[in-house]
Amino acid sequence: MKEKLVLIGNGMAGVRTIEELLKIAPDKYEITVFGAEPYGNYNRIMLSPVLAGDKTIDEIMINDLQWYQDNGITLHAGKEVVSIDRKERKVIADDGTEAEYDRLLLATGSNPFILPVPGNDLDGVIGFRDIQDVESMLEAARKHKHAVVIGGGLLGLEAANGLMLQGMSVTVIHLMDTLMERQLDEPAAKMLQKELEDKGLHFLMGAETEAIIGHDRVEKVRLKDGTEIYADLVVMAVGIRPNIELAKKAGIHVERGIVVNDTLQTFDPRIYAVGECVQHRGQTYGLVAPLFEMAKVCANHLAMMGIGRYEGSVTSTKLKVTGIDLFSAGDFIGDENTEELVFQDAARGVYRKLVLENNRIKGVVMYGDTIDGSWYFDLMRDGTDITDFRESILFGQAHLGDSGHGEANRVANMDDSAEICGCNGVCKGDIIKAITDKKLFTLEEVRAHTKASSSCGSCTGLVEAILASTVGGDYSVAPHLKPVCGCTDKTHDEVKAAIRDLELKSVREVMDKLEWKNEDGCAKCRPALNYYVIATWPKEGLDDYQSRFINERVHANIQKDGTYSVIPRMWGGGTTPDELRAIADVAEKFNVRTVHVTGGQRIALYGLKKEQLPVVWKEFNKRGMVSGHAYGKALRTVKTCVGKEWCRFGTQDSTHIGIELEKMTWGSWTPHKFKMAASGCPRNCAEATIKDFGVVCVDSGYELHIGGNGGIKVRATDLLCTVKTEEEVLEYCAAFMQLYREDAHYLERTAPWVERVGLTYIKERLIDDEEGRKELAERFRYSQQFAQDDPWAERAEGADAHEFTPIKKVG
Amino acid sequence: MTDHDWIEIGVLDDIPRLGARIVERSEGDIAVFRTADDEVFAVRDKCPHKGGPLSQGIVSGKVVTCPLHNWNIQLDNGEAVAPDEGCAATYPVRLEGDRIFLSLTPNEGCPNT
Ligand code: SRM
Ligand SMILES: Cc1cc2nc3c(=O)[nH]c(=O)nc-3n(C[C@H](O)[C@H](O)[C@H](O)COP(=O)(O)OP(=O)(O)OC[C@H]3O[C@@H](n4cnc5c(N)ncnc54)[C@H](O)[C@@H]3O)c2cc1C
Ligand code: SF4
Ligand code: FES
């Protein structure tokens, strides 16, 4: 017999919880839903665009009645629950309908706060909360002229804008001197007010409402100073109050909201609560993103999986008024311990303020150009130390270069046919269609359905912007600490610590000890775990073959047609007639279709069949050539220029240092691929300043550069230090690589890693702490003892033979 | 299905756990998978997305992740895991002790292209 789950409140948080629950435990409960509103479940946020005439009610339905039927859910739409009988475990609705529960979920949302002034119950005085309110407003707009909105916050301004677009003359009455004072500082608020006035709204600032006057219907609003304003419609948008009456009556502990713990459980263990009606760690929320986070955790506990905690949310604000771009998050006012960075370009109507404490972002306000909002928000949430790019941070992320995208892309002005994701060929129209047809809400969902932003990720900002303009808000909740994947709630750092502290030496052991939700993990976590195991335990760790991506399993790169490419190492980018002859011979012998000089100073052969690989390798081995690891999350190439030996400007032997670096580091596994280069002078012909580790020779020695990237997002290196001898170059390189191997998350390249932990931290570990540096280098060399076997040689000798032969040939 | 359909292709230990081998055919290869608990499944070695060789993917549970663009294909029915849509033909497999028998007549449901 299924257990019975009853949901009170057919709104955004409650139904989201049910959706999450159906995903993980579809058959656990017989579900009954009570909703006071007579519809399915709709996207409340989009009421503003409905009012503004940009959307219809139909377009904002998330789940229609059919959905409830399809999922076997009993919906009592239009029935308000009036009491909960906790002893008998049943709920009773206003029409007498009863439903028993084993578990009860409260998601009653909140109510608009109605000012306690005379006349507040007149016809034409409403809040802005549900479809009915919007319908009243639309009707008023058809019949009447004058509207007054009380409250110049987010909701009030969206209501005012919508009513204006419906043809009413609108006055906003606001108690404070600036608009949206909880979300904006004064300069931004003034810019906003000016822009809204230009659009045609009227404002009365610092104005307190005294009474609403009228006979049957509202006629005027009177202020404390005696001013009277004509009004055929008054919208109260002065705040919301968690809807806790029902819970309170049932004796459930409430304060400002229904009090819940980190598993969203109320004081009655059978009763859970989510959404705006709850109070968690003293906090109540009025935005969707945190509610969706709650929904996820709550569903998990309802499914009896018992993992996951809700630990509170950091929220950000956007205003859904077309043509107005504003963003704010965190504490943007600051205090005596904080400092401010401000950028203002009045002509372009752009304003940005960051509030910093100890070089970490505490709050952000942006006006006019908000493309970098999510970047600042991420930095804030991650507590990143921004010291190293403080002088340029206000210019945003785009100046760091992302292969020419960035600012140029203005989503709103784009055609539906504009290509957003260059990797997967996804256009703006495709994304919008998927969002509306499939009812997508989060970046992750858009990625899964359209593939946009799922490959190189450089279009993520654009996809987020499209999402925001289509569903009205950025729901992409990246919880403060991201789990490795859906198989666990543990973060990369927690997993790494466990592998070290609990001495876990195989992928299987890690998944068992850390209670992985999916027995075998998935294609995302297993390669990560395998890397962590072998990087932590180079000698004893079990390298789990089946947890490696095909390229690392067969030591070649898979191509689109299922054939493979083979790239032998060319030490330091140099070669010899013998090696070239070997390559030519192999290419001829195996009829290789394409021979290509790679971007990494070596030569690749394309189009080999899997079963040919061992023979090809044997051939190369015989001629003294080994695997180039062009396929691995591993040391790739070390590019060099000819340096002092030939070049008239060369200051040191860059070719030699390149070869030494490659000899020392080849075969090592790293969190992501690792590339190096050495140039003979600052002309830098080997492009060492866009490599993970680069050496630029100078007259006095060697400049060591770190954290560069030439790929999706170009990042020039940071200068680590200058050293005098080749030995030091090698030691610093080994230490840097080891620090990266131990510290970074799997699939995090040095560039984002350096940006995450900060150059200062890396300098502390490698320069200030000499002893520590030597130990790191030592650990690197130790681990290399177990890594420097040519994988081609082993397989040419017959290792993993099953990988290269069919089990059977037929026909 | 008639009996002479079945061909013996090898024994369980020929396939690594959470791995696959292929049966090579002129009409197109068939990937034979072995799960962690020694179930064996046979799927056309051609991803419904762009034809990637499924035999080369990472196996977890009863799902293989295509090596080319990470679609997840269910081994028991050949269907792509939502939100991706498409399916690859599957083939009947029978175990006798540790001997593996495969039928070359695909199960109904997915197109065998
Ligand atoms: C073979 C080669 C292209 C060529 O024919 O020249 C190549 C081929 C691939 N690159 Fe590359 N990259 C090659 C040089 C580069 C370079 C140039 C360089 O190394 O100086 C870059 C920019 C430098 C850099 O990495 O910072 C480069 C930046 C990328 C990126 C973006 C990485 C980033 O962090 O932004 C990817 C995607 C990824 O790794 O996720 C990528 C991924 C790939 C993959 C692995 C795509 C894939 O997943 O299948 C391609 C494998 C094809 C294959 O089977 O060989 N490749 N790739 C080059 C091999 C060099 C070598 O000798 O090993
Ligand atoms: C106009 C507008 C614009 C908004 N814009 C944004 C935005 O841009 N970004 C953002 O993040 N958030 C926005 N919000 C806030 C967001 O909509 C809410 O945070 C969210 O809807 C709250 O979800 P909930 O499930 O807690 O409450 P609700 O969605 O309000 O659901 C509660 C439901 O419970 C029902 N109910 C209550 N009591 C009972 C009972 N006793 N029996 C049966 N049913 C009952 C109510 O009728 C209601 O349908 C906006 C809100 C409004 C009104
Ligand atoms: S080789 Fe690199 S740049 Fe060229 S198509 Fe492949 S991933 Fe893209
Ligand atoms: S071919 Fe399999 S995912 Fe693209």
Side-chain angles (χ1 to χ4, degrees), chain A residues 438 448-449 451 520-523 526-527 546-550 553-554 558-560 562 564 610-611 802-803 805-811, chain B residues 7-10 14-19 21-26 36 53 55-61 65 67-68 71 83-85 104:
Chain A
K438 310 240 157 103
H449 281 269
K451 305 298 176 215
D520 298 340
C522 71
R526 286 223 319 269
Q546 297 308 145
S547 292
R548 282 185 178 269
F549 183 64
I550 182 66
R553 222 152 65 209
V554 300
I558 194 165
Q559 303 297 319
K560 61 190 281 189
Y564 289 83
K610 203 179 177 193
E611 49 281 21
H802 65 85
E803 199 49 271
T805 48
I807 189 171
K808 176 114 186 155
K809 294 192 188 193
V810 295
Chain B
I7 52 164
E8 181 168 358
I9 56 168
D14 290 338
I15 312 174
R17 282 215 173 97
L18 296 178
R21 297 285 298 275
I22 57 167
V23 172
E24 204 177 285
R25 284 192 317 169
S26 47
S55 56
Q56 317 291 295
I58 291 182
V59 181
S60 33
T65 305
L68 293 195
W71 279 31
D84 295 321
E85 288 167 17
L104 296 180

Side-chain angles (χ1 to χ4, degrees), chain A residues 382-403:
Chain A
D382 293 345
T384 303
D385 185 333
I386 60 134
T387 313
D388 303 316
F389 49 108
R390 190 178 150 128
E391 72 270 31
S392 60
I393 190 168
L394 280 175
F395 299 107
Q397 199 179 18
H399 84 283
L400 298 168
D402 53 356
S403 314

Side-chain angles (χ1 to χ4, degrees), chain A residues 19-30:
Chain A
E19 287 178 329
E20 296 278 359
L21 179 65
L22 290 174
K23 270 194 241 163
I24 51 178
D27 300 318
K28 186 158 175 57
Y29 292 102
E30 190 185 314

Side-chain angles (χ1 to χ4, degrees), chain A residues 597-670:
Chain A
V597 177
T598 73
Q601 284 191 347
R602 40 198 198 171
I603 294 176
L605 308 183
Y606 283 86
L608 291 154
K609 294 220 178 60
K610 203 179 177 193
E611 49 281 21
Q612 293 179 308
L613 294 174
V615 220
V616 170
W617 295 335
K618 194 168 205 133
E619 207 64 35
F620 273 126
N621 277 172
K622 267 203 300 213
R623 314 283 283 262
M625 298 182 86
V626 297
S627 167
H629 290 87
Y631 45 80
K633 306 296 173 226
L635 187 270
R636 293 279 178 98
T637 62
V638 184
K639 295 182 13 170
T640 69
C641 72
V642 289
K644 183 162 91 172
E645 200 184 347
W646 293 99
C647 180
R648 65 202 161 107
F649 297 117
T651 60
Q652 311 285 350
D653 193 346
S654 49
T655 325
H656 183 256
I657 191 75
I659 295 172
E660 290 300 309
L661 283 170
E662 191 160 357
K663 292 250 139 111
M664 175 179 79
T665 55
W666 74 270
S668 62
W669 300 109
T670 40

